[in-house]
Amino acid sequence: MCLAPMAAAEHLTTCLSEAVHHIVCQLGFERADGADLGHVVTVSGQVCWETITSTLCMSDTEEHNLNYVESVRQLGPVCKSVHSYLLSLSAKQFKDQYDVWFTWTDNSELFIEVFEAIKSSQHTAIALGLMKLTACLERALGNVFLMIGKDCPFLLRDLLASRELATVFGQNVMNVLRVFLGSPQSLNLRNILWHGFAAPGEIPPMYTSMLLLLTAGLGQILQTESTPLHRPYFRLSQLEELAVFPDINEEAIALAEDFIDKSGFVVEIMQPYWREALEAYRNQRYADCVILLLPQLETGLRKLFTVVNNCPNRLLTAESTTLYTTFDEMLAKYLEKGDTNQLPTALGDPIVEILWDLLNHQEGPRIRDHLSHGELDLNTFPEEMASHVVALAIVLLHRCCRKGNENVTESECLKAIISSMDSYCSRFHPIGRLKQQLRHCVGCLQKWNEIPRPSVEQASEGPGSEYSSPRTQAISACLVKELVPYLIKRLQPVYSEELNMSQYLLAEEQLHLVTKLLGSSIRTLYCPRTVLEVVALLRKVVSQCLTVSEQVTSGAVTRQQLWLSKSLRSRQRHNYLRMLGSVQYLHSIFSLITLLVTVELLNTRTISEMDSSECRIYLKFLKSLLQYTENMVTYTSPGKNKWEETWDLTEKMQQKVKEFYNRWNDICAMSVAGNTWS
């Protein structure tokens, strides 16, 4: 399905609204007079903060008494002088003069790179440099904040307005930064770039020069303060789970480059960013590639959003009284006034799932957040992440291909990318995470047959010669025979394949069934709150199961070694044999719980149809199951060894499960079957 009719935005000359365009592109040039450079920067390179702060204009009606518009107008001549000054320096002169004053950011090389971009006069390079500069500056300011404060603000505007930074740098200094970065009423350079509103060359380079000098000036102030500790970078640990697309090769890059001119997804004035991003990937500058692409994905989606929701005005930057149309709103189920957002339907579930996984889910990479807040090491940015973003970009470019360009679908490279996208299921939605936990749990339980045991002869030498008692065998058999039929019956409404319950009386077969069931597709978009609450409980249950498994397997290995070395006292040997006597039934019960959780996961789509009383019953049952697994973690811990108590606990739990499913079957029989959530 191609989404070609997007002509409404084809001939835009700017994505900045009239007021934003005026403050960013024109206001700083209104004063024809210049600023005396000698009063802004000393011969030795020291920043004269008093001169700069004296240009700020205060107003009783503006936020924190700062008049942003007039301040930008008055700062214009200062910025022009600073820009001319930096252009007059060679790279060596700049490095010799300012390198030491960038060390507080823990990334001096980046600021040298930004200087070289300014000298190059290449619009995309300057914009890229400004994006990287603002991200690094935010991270560094957060480090300074933590010298005297706790819980660093997530938003840059809140960080700049904090009492802690005003204490270190002075309120007037922070007000200067707020004019450039801190409010929708200001220049707001960081946001209009990172959200994809500013075209190449649209932000005057003098503002990049000014921020470069101001960053050095902050370092000069910090010379009299303690050195801030540099927080470690965030580590992208989810790369294997994102490996869903074929590797991006030269053929794929060429395909994407060809699409730039043919796809309505691209706003024409933004084409240089696209080309530079793909060239960056080709040259293995993976962080640069993603930094340039993410705002363009947002711009392209915003363009499509305005078309399918018939709101062309939302393509431009919002005024200070209205929120930007950002990823969060574009990927939401409903629009601001309650109407259904048509963009998810236009894109289709797989693309929306990929976008949510990449950008929004808390346990996902949240790549735009981490990049824009300076939390990633750009020098070690992984190729796998860049490849994933480029592949997603190719999918979106293709979906919005203009009429007459459909023949590109014959490309085998494109077919492979599209096919990978079509089968995508969320990895980082809570349901996706629960699936991953269950697969891990299955793998752990399947290794229980490798638990080492003393030989029968060795065991007979210690107190108690049998591994298992008739009671544990009875508990294990009863659990399986009584509870498996309940679970198979519970599966029937949500699983189309017919299952023979007698086939799943062995724990190994139950685990195989879990693996099979986890292959079922479960819609994760826009889950009701109750579903998320249930999934959260199920995840806690599985987490406890994994802890029990780890305690049993690691404890058995340790005690086997002590047994063989004859280092166990009589009581410890007896405890060890009782533990071994419990392994079979523990394996049965935790295999069964793993199956139970999987069955309830598949039934989550019916939860939204429950009334409040049914929901309370259901949640109470899951909480009792969680309580059981938490108690089992305690009883099987190395310091407790309460194996007989686990049998008593399991018998009580078994009865609760039976009672719940009997009651639930009665409830379901009286209820009208509902549909999946929409």
Side-chain angles (χ1 to χ4, degrees), residues 29-56:
F29 298 94
E30 287 188 352
R31 284 186 53 182
D33 57 322
D36 184 352
L37 182 65
H39 289 91
V40 178
V41 185
T42 68
V43 175
S44 62
Q46 290 281 343
V47 175
C48 301
W49 280 104
E50 286 188 10
T51 301
I52 297 172
T53 59
S54 68
T55 62
L56 297 178

Side-chain angles (χ1 to χ4, degrees), residues 262-283:
K262 297 177 179 178
S263 176
F265 190 77
V266 179
V267 176
E268 187 175 353
I269 57 175
M270 302 295 184
Q271 286 187 2
Y273 286 136
W274 284 89
R275 299 194 187 284
E276 180 60 28
L278 296 173
E279 188 62 25
Y281 187 93
R282 183 179 276 125
N283 294 327

Side-chain angles (χ1 to χ4, degrees), residues 281-343:
Y281 187 93
R282 183 179 276 125
N283 294 327
Q284 301 180 10
R285 292 163 37 222
Y286 299 120
D288 290 355
C289 169
V290 175
I291 291 171
L292 288 165
L293 267 187
L294 286 174
Q296 295 317 303
L297 294 185
E298 184 167 349
T299 299
L301 287 169
R302 188 181 298 116
K303 181 181 177 183
L304 180 55
F305 174 90
T306 64
V307 172
V308 298
N309 289 303
N310 192 27
C311 52
N313 59 303
R314 300 300 297 277
L315 185 59
L316 302 179
T317 50
E319 307 307 326
S320 59
T321 56
T322 309
L323 293 174
Y324 288 167
T325 306
T326 61
F327 278 131
D328 287 345
E329 182 176 359
M330 290 187 287
L331 297 179
K333 185 176 182 179
Y334 297 109
L335 302 178
E336 186 180 12
K337 294 183 179 179
D339 296 328
T340 300
N341 180 10
Q342 299 301 316
L343 183 61

Side-chain angles (χ1 to χ4, degrees), residues 102-386:
F102 291 126
T103 55
W104 74 280
T105 68
D106 197 33
N107 201 345
S108 298
E109 299 83 1
L110 185 149
F111 293 90
I112 305 300
E113 177 189 324
V114 174
F115 171 78
E116 291 172 347
I118 295 170
K119 294 279 287 185
S120 76
S121 298
Q122 295 178 4
H123 294 323
T124 54
I126 294 174
L128 173 64
L130 184 52
M131 293 172 73
K132 293 162 76 170
L133 184 157
T134 57
C136 180
L137 178 58
E138 178 178 352
R139 184 69 169 175
L141 288 171
N143 291 335
V144 174
F145 176 97
L146 292 172
M147 290 168 58
I148 59 175
K150 297 180 180 179
D151 300 324
C152 182
F154 176 74
L155 297 177
L156 177 57
R157 67 169 179 264
D158 295 335
L159 180 61
L160 295 177
S162 67
R163 177 189 56 80
E164 286 81 358
L165 289 187
T167 300
V168 175
F169 294 111
Q171 186 60 61
N172 287 338
V173 169
M174 298 315 300
N175 283 344
V176 172
L177 292 180
R178 287 170 55 218
V179 170
F180 290 92
L181 305 171
S183 165
Q185 297 171 294
S186 71
L187 288 166
N188 205 16
L189 299 176
R190 174 199 179 276
N191 283 345
I192 64 174
L193 268 172
W194 276 101
H195 289 294
F197 289 110
E202 202 160 22
I203 295 177
M206 67 179 188
Y207 291 138
T208 304
S209 294
M210 189 66 179
L211 280 172
L212 197 58
L213 186 73
L214 294 179
T215 304
L218 295 173
Q220 293 164 5
I221 293 174
L222 280 174
Q223 284 185 316
T224 61
E225 302 285 342
S226 302
T227 303
L229 293 176
H230 301 294
R231 289 167 288 172
Y233 287 115
F234 179 81
R235 181 173 171 270
L236 291 169
S237 58
Q238 309 95 335
L239 298 177
E240 288 186 8
E241 294 169 81
L242 284 174
V244 294
F245 292 114
D247 290 336
I248 296 299
N249 53 23
E250 181 56 36
E251 181 184 0
I253 293 294
L255 179 67
E257 288 174 330
D258 187 45
F259 270 140
I260 292 172
D261 290 321
K262 297 177 179 178
S263 176
F265 190 77
V266 179
V267 176
E268 187 175 353
I269 57 175
M270 302 295 184
Q271 286 187 2
Y273 286 136
W274 284 89
R275 299 194 187 284
E276 180 60 28
L278 296 173
E279 188 62 25
Y281 187 93
R282 183 179 276 125
N283 294 327
Q284 301 180 10
R285 292 163 37 222
Y286 299 120
D288 290 355
C289 169
V290 175
I291 291 171
L292 288 165
L293 267 187
L294 286 174
Q296 295 317 303
L297 294 185
E298 184 167 349
T299 299
L301 287 169
R302 188 181 298 116
K303 181 181 177 183
L304 180 55
F305 174 90
T306 64
V307 172
V308 298
N309 289 303
N310 192 27
C311 52
N313 59 303
R314 300 300 297 277
L315 185 59
L316 302 179
T317 50
E319 307 307 326
S320 59
T321 56
T322 309
L323 293 174
Y324 288 167
T325 306
T326 61
F327 278 131
D328 287 345
E329 182 176 359
M330 290 187 287
L331 297 179
K333 185 176 182 179
Y334 297 109
L335 302 178
E336 186 180 12
K337 294 183 179 179
D339 296 328
T340 300
N341 180 10
Q342 299 301 316
L343 183 61
T345 301
L347 293 174
D349 281 7
I351 291 179
V352 181
E353 295 274 24
I354 291 174
L355 288 166
W356 269 92
D357 270 4
L358 185 67
L359 302 167
N360 285 15
H361 287 314
Q362 287 301 305
E363 295 178 75
R366 291 174 47 238
I367 187 64
R368 212 273 297 279
D369 281 351
H370 290 305
L371 269 176
S372 64
H373 293 297
E375 297 170 0
L376 296 174
D377 184 352
L378 303 185
N379 296 318
T380 60
F381 193 87
E383 177 184 359
E384 297 91 332
M385 178 59 73

Side-chain angles (χ1 to χ4, degrees), residues 648-661:
D648 297 334
L649 202 62
T650 299
E651 286 181 311
K652 293 176 183 177
M653 186 280 298
Q654 175 188 0
Q655 189 59 35
K656 285 185 179 180
V657 173
K658 287 169 55 180
E659 289 173 357
F660 168 75
Y661 281 121

